Amino acid sequence: NAGVTQTPKFRILKIGQSMTLQCAQDMNHNYMYWYRQDPGMGLKLIYYSVGAGITDKGEVPNGYNVSRSTTEDFPLRLELAAPSQTSVYFCASSYSSTDRSYEQYFGPGTRLTVT
Amino acid sequence: DAKTTQPNSMESNEEEPVHLPCNHSTISGTDYIHWYRQLPSQGPEYVIHGLTSNVNNRMASLAIAEDRKSSTLILHRATLRDAAVYYCILRDARGGSNYKLTFGKGTLLTVNP
């Protein structure tokens, strides 16, 4: 299993540009998440999904959009990029485990700079 | 969400045990205690979780106070690879959002050779 994969690894955007961060998992997990992590801070939840076709806002959703058309993929769309969106973005997935851990598996992250 | 308090940083020496504390005085009866860690330039990874009893796995041990207002993550023999930010997180097992985690700033563990 590849686990959770994210592309690209790095990206520089100009203010006002748009892009999509890709996330895929091959573990058949029903839950998926997008987080951002600013320097020296913990992770903040942007959006999450409990299954294909179902998404919901997290703590910091403004400026982002998501879709979940398949179990495997959960892309994050940035519209009209702003310097405040400079961050490292992590995608994660989890499932309903019998040990009730809901252990989240994280991707390697995408480092985004908006200038 | 119930909050946790962790020291900003801790240091240890290689091959010695490390005890990472976490205070969660407002914990509710349905909150699970989770620990994740984040190695440099990587995404977080699950370490351990528990509800009331102490827990052991191949990575670490989790000691939970009897009143559940605090817990301690124990690394039995620290290695250089254990240098990371360690997050103590409470997860509410009730309701429809019982799968979500809220990350704080965590504890930066430095391991000296």
Side-chain angles (χ1 to χ4, degrees), chain A residues 6-26:
Chain A
Q6 292 184 238
T7 55
K9 286 187 168 51
F10 303 94
R11 183 73 185 266
I12 298 174
L13 279 183
K14 293 192 186 308
I15 295 171
Q17 287 185 322
S18 300
M19 75 165 293
T20 299
L21 281 67
Q22 302 291 345
C23 174
Q25 52 93 8
D26 61 358

Side-chain angles (χ1 to χ4, degrees), chain A residues 66-103:
Chain A
V66 293
S67 59
R68 183 115 180 256
S69 55
T70 66
T71 298
E72 295 78 19
D73 300 298
F74 190 39
L76 177 72
R77 178 84 177 158
L78 276 73
E79 305 281 3
L80 298 175
S84 60
Q85 293 177 304
T86 294
S87 191
V88 180
Y89 291 82
F90 290 102
C91 179
S93 69
S94 69
Y95 67 104
S96 305
S97 54
T98 53
D99 69 351
R100 304 174 71 87
S101 71
Y102 289 94
E103 176 183 346

Side-chain angles (χ1 to χ4, degrees), chain B residues 51-87:
Chain B
L51 183 61
T52 55
S53 304
N54 295 344
V55 185
N56 300 299
N57 66 21
R58 63 175 179 81
M59 287 181 73
S61 295
L62 176 60
I64 301 173
E66 199 167 329
D67 63 5
R68 300 211 323 128
K69 293 185 185 300
S70 65
S71 60
T72 303
L73 179 71
I74 303 166
L75 307 179
H76 295 285
R77 285 183 75 224
T79 69
L80 296 178
R81 197 193 172 278
D82 291 320
V85 177
Y86 286 79
Y87 299 98

Side-chain angles (χ1 to χ4, degrees), chain A residues 31 33 35 37 40-43 45 48 50 57 90 94 99-104 106-108 111, chain B residues 32 34 36 38 41-46 49 87 91 93 96-105:
Chain A
Y31 302 98
Y33 315 81
Y35 295 89
Q37 184 174 34
M41 306 295 287
L43 283 70
L45 183 64
Y48 63 97
V50 301
K57 295 177 181 179
F90 290 102
S94 69
D99 69 351
R100 304 174 71 87
S101 71
Y102 289 94
E103 176 183 346
Q104 291 193 15
F106 285 80
R111 187 175 297 272
Chain B
Y32 280 81
H34 288 251
Y36 279 72
Q38 186 173 19
S41 300
Q42 294 189 27
E45 63 176 345
Y46 168 85
H49 82 286
Y87 299 98
R91 182 179 65 82
S97 299
N98 58 356
Y99 43 84
K100 290 202 292 186
L101 300 174
T102 300
F103 287 80
K105 291 189 181 180

